[in-house]
Amino acid sequence: DSGIDRLEPIERFPELLPKLDQAAIRTIPPHRIDQRQELSRLIGREVSLEGVDRELVDAVIELRLIQDSLAQSELHRAGAAAREAAAAVQSHLSPGKYEWEVRAELEREIRSRNMGLSFPPIVTKRGDILHNRSYDNRLESGDLLLVDFGTETADGYASDVTRVYPVSGAFLPEQQAIFDLVSSANQQA
């Protein structure tokens, strides 16, 4: 038994919402602030990861941790494709290329493994501008390239990978020190 009494089209949500027991409504807060604010407005209370919504969030997390052998296999496939694509990108990296060339190579590598992108990739030497829409920066020796991407299987199982590569193939001493510090913190986490 799913516990679901009935299903309604999403278009009817604004009409049906006032008829519901407001105290019984539980939500999974959307990531985007504008969506979270709109949902809060619709249900007449703040939507957050605390309070009455926490129980539902925890239950969904618990369920998502349980994966059958097919799901595990697909997750491993997505992860392997991401590792292979990341390694290919790193091997093709060199000064003089443009970010758009690296992004195109990344997408080619992912597609060649019969995978899709799980989200629009970030490929930038400007680490202060994460969700860039332009990929026209020329890569120079000494630059670091931030690459954040994910692969996705046909069944929707996805990976999420973030890497920082030295464009010239080797970190400068100060870059290496920071990289080692971050790697150490990551290993301890």
Side-chain angles (χ1 to χ4, degrees):
D1 182 24
S2 70
I4 298 171
D5 297 327
R6 71 175 202 230
L7 297 173
E8 297 284 350
I10 192 69
E11 294 80 20
R12 294 201 59 211
F13 185 70
E15 167 199 340
L16 296 171
L17 186 61
K19 299 174 185 174
L20 298 175
D21 175 5
Q22 300 298 309
I25 295 175
R26 301 295 181 266
T27 68
I28 296 178
H31 174 71
R32 288 183 38 190
I33 188 72
D34 60 325
Q35 293 173 346
R36 193 172 332 127
Q37 289 170 336
E38 176 64 9
L39 184 56
S40 294
R41 186 188 68 73
L42 286 170
I43 66 173
R45 67 168 173 80
E46 182 181 351
V47 173
S48 77
L49 287 175
E50 303 306 321
V52 297
D53 296 323
R54 184 81 236 172
E55 187 178 331
L56 175 61
V57 169
D58 289 344
V60 170
I61 289 170
E62 187 71 26
L63 286 173
R64 292 186 77 188
L65 291 174
I66 302 168
Q67 302 292 331
D68 63 17
S69 60
L70 174 62
Q72 290 176 24
S73 173
E74 288 293 284
L75 287 166
H76 285 290
R77 235 172 44 84
R83 279 190 306 278
E84 293 165 5
V89 163
Q90 185 178 19
S91 71
H92 289 95
L93 204 52
S94 63
K97 285 192 174 183
Y98 287 85
E99 294 165 335
W100 62 264
E101 292 177 287
V102 177
R103 180 179 172 163
E105 179 64 23
L106 173 67
E107 290 191 36
R108 190 193 71 70
E109 288 290 338
I110 292 168
R111 303 279 183 212
S112 75
R113 289 163 175 76
N114 196 27
M115 296 275 171
L117 293 162
S118 56
F119 57 88
I122 298 168
V123 179
T124 184
K125 72 178 198 175
R126 295 282 315 270
D128 57 321
I129 304 175
L130 291 182
H131 296 282
N132 58 321
R133 300 189 191 282
S134 164
Y135 301 90
D136 57 357
N137 292 311
R138 185 172 182 202
L139 305 178
E140 306 292 340
S141 185
D143 285 342
L144 295 176
L145 185 69
L146 173 67
V147 181
D148 184 35
F149 71 98
T151 58
E152 186 170 325
T153 69
D155 290 329
Y157 292 93
S159 67
D160 186 341
V161 176
T162 305
R163 297 287 182 267
V164 175
Y165 300 115
V167 170
S168 62
F171 289 112
L172 298 174
E174 61 272 15
Q175 292 170 338
Q176 186 67 57
I178 293 169
F179 183 86
D180 291 344
L181 180 67
V182 171
S183 293
S184 174
N186 191 31
Q187 293 296 325
Q188 293 176 16

